[in-house]
Amino acid sequence: MKNEDSVIKLSIIIPYYNQKENIRKLIKVLDKQMTKEVEVIIVNDGTDDDFKDIEYPTNRFIVCNLEENSGGASIPRNKGLDIAEGKYIAFIDSDDMVSEDYIPTILHKTLKEWDYCYISWKGKSNTIIIENEPPKWNCCVWNCIYKKDIIGNERFNPKLK
């Protein structure tokens, strides 16, 4: 059993396919925010680019490789869920970017118990607003944080792209 100092509160799962320049930028932004409470799981979905050239600044970046391209983000996300240790799960696509306060904002929110929260970026200010209710539009997997217990053994349908 892990001691309280090594408990992972947040697992960030990133399916990766042919986005080398974008993921380098994303890794830099995430690395500046990393704490011992966070792990980032990057699942290489059989990419065509030179994925091995990407540098990961800390051991909090976990990289796993799929044998071949799955044709979508479902299988890589499922692989990330299978190995994630965090109490909460976030998904970021490898061509997305997060704000400079993405991780601290989520970790602050974890001080209270909740099952799900929606993250909204308002305008172009890079400000994260955590809302209690999801919007009626634009509800995507990558703009929500989920309690891992709520996800349980549910997984993404690999037939869906």
Side-chain angles (χ1 to χ4, degrees):
M1 185 170 149
K2 292 183 177 184
N3 67 33
E4 193 62 34
D5 290 338
S6 64
V7 171
I8 304 295
K9 287 186 179 176
L10 176 64
S11 295
I12 300 170
I13 299 171
I14 305 172
Y16 175 83
Y17 184 76
N18 289 350
Q19 292 290 330
K20 189 159 101 174
E21 293 310 312
N22 289 332
I23 203 158
R24 280 184 171 151
K25 293 174 189 173
L26 178 59
I27 288 168
K28 284 181 184 178
V29 171
L30 290 172
D31 183 53
K32 292 176 187 174
Q33 304 175 50
M34 292 297 285
T35 73
K36 62 185 177 200
E37 301 169 309
V38 180
E39 66 180 0
V40 175
I41 302 166
I42 301 171
V43 183
N44 175 12
D45 191 17
T47 191
D48 296 332
D49 66 11
D50 199 2
F51 183 73
K52 292 178 182 175
D53 285 351
I54 299 170
E55 293 181 24
Y56 303 95
T58 69
N59 62 356
R60 290 300 202 193
F61 288 87
I62 301 162
V63 178
C64 56
N65 297 292
L66 299 180
E67 295 292 322
E68 58 185 47
N69 179 257
S70 68
S74 293
I75 291 174
R77 286 179 179 146
N78 290 342
K79 176 70 172 176
L81 282 169
D82 290 343
I83 64 175
E85 294 184 17
K87 181 175 181 178
Y88 294 96
I89 305 291
F91 298 95
I92 303 173
D93 290 341
S94 59
D95 61 345
D96 289 340
M97 184 51 64
V98 296
S99 68
E100 300 287 335
D101 63 344
Y102 176 78
I103 290 174
T105 300
I106 295 168
L107 290 178
H108 179 73
K109 178 76 173 173
T110 65
L111 297 175
K112 295 181 181 177
E113 283 289 319
W114 46 273
D115 295 334
Y116 162 96
C117 75
Y118 168 74
I119 296 179
S120 173
W121 284 266
K122 299 291 184 183
K124 296 182 180 184
S125 65
N126 285 337
T127 301
I128 296 176
I129 299 171
I130 296 182
E131 300 179 356
N132 294 329
E133 296 292 325
K136 303 285 186 249
W137 55 273
N138 194 24
C139 194
C140 304
V141 68
W142 47 259
N143 63 358
C144 301
I145 311 299
Y146 309 87
K147 192 172 187 181
K148 187 176 182 186
D149 291 348
I150 295 301
I151 296 172
N153 292 324
E154 293 295 321
R155 294 297 182 261
F156 293 92
N157 182 342
K159 294 179 184 176
L160 297 177
K161 306 297 178 195

